[in-house]
Amino acid sequence: EEGHDGEVIVKLHPEWAPIGVQRIKDLTADSFWDECRAFRVLPNFVVQLGINGDPVKQKKWRENIKDDPVKASNTRGTVTFAMAGRGTRTTQIFFNKVDNKSLDGQNFAPFGEVLSGMEIIDRIYAEYKEKPNQGMIQSKGNVYLKKEFPKMTYIKTAKFMSATEAASQ
């Protein structure tokens, strides 16, 4: 069954994308990812998330961050900020489900890679594809998503781990 419990471990790479990694660290420290839903799931492309289920918390993080230059390729298992053009990165990220090297030339700079749990990413509920309205998620949050898309996969919680902890998982 799609969407069951599992753990995904992502290694952050500040040498690839220092600005992006700092934003991820700040978001994680603020418990931003807790209850975030995967609202865009395209099976042969990406899994996208990063609109917080609480509209008040989401608004706190709406300021754009500067772009990082692309220093790593968007290969399967890398994690990258979504954007609508240069200088528009905020909180939305995506997991590359396949090699998406064509995104490299579009300034999508990976900031991390999945060390373990890519099979969990592959099982994220995909039937809704791109149906959720991002404006509604921004304004209504998880109230909207739980009502309209009850099977949507979500993150229970995200936390930092030491390299030793990650290696023992």
Side-chain angles (χ1 to χ4, degrees):
E1 181 179 341
E2 291 183 16
H4 264 300
D5 288 353
E7 183 173 79
V8 177
I9 297 176
V10 175
K11 179 179 181 180
L12 300 178
H13 283 279
E15 70 278 13
W16 292 356
I19 298 167
V21 166
Q22 187 58 55
R23 175 54 70 98
I24 293 299
K25 287 181 174 181
D26 294 344
L27 291 167
T28 303
D30 192 35
S31 302
F32 179 87
W33 305 109
D34 296 2
E35 300 284 322
C36 266
R37 270 125 172 97
F39 62 83
R40 182 174 181 242
V41 182
L42 302 175
N44 294 309
F45 189 43
V46 298
V47 170
Q48 186 170 330
L49 53 101
I51 301 176
N52 190 275
D54 175 358
V56 173
K57 183 169 273 198
Q58 180 62 37
K59 284 180 187 175
K60 174 182 173 182
W61 293 100
R62 70 178 170 209
E63 186 176 325
N64 293 341
I65 60 171
K66 291 181 181 178
D67 294 332
D68 283 301
V70 178
K71 293 183 179 176
S73 187
N74 283 275
T75 55
R76 175 174 163 77
T78 55
V79 191
T80 305
F81 272 94
M83 61 181 181
R86 292 190 180 272
T88 61
R89 300 186 308 169
T90 56
T91 60
Q92 294 186 41
I93 63 171
F94 60 85
F95 289 83
N96 284 294
K97 292 188 61 131
V98 297
D99 287 349
N100 289 316
K101 294 178 184 181
S102 64
L103 297 177
D104 300 349
Q106 299 175 47
N107 209 39
F108 288 94
F111 61 81
E113 65 179 319
V114 175
L115 290 183
S116 66
M118 196 61 198
E119 71 280 1
I120 305 301
I121 300 298
D122 289 337
R123 286 197 325 254
I124 286 176
Y125 190 79
E127 293 303 311
Y128 301 133
K129 295 187 178 23
E130 296 183 274
K131 289 180 186 172
N133 179 293
Q134 291 186 36
M136 289 292 290
I137 304 170
Q138 298 268 354
S139 64
K140 303 291 183 189
N142 283 345
V143 170
Y144 161 70
L145 292 175
K146 287 178 182 179
K147 180 180 179 200
E148 300 296 327
F149 306 97
K151 295 181 180 180
M152 189 173 284
T153 303
Y154 64 94
I155 295 174
K156 285 186 181 178
T157 190
K159 64 180 182 174
F160 294 111
M161 299 174 76
S162 70
T164 306
E165 288 174 304
S168 70
Q169 295 293 315

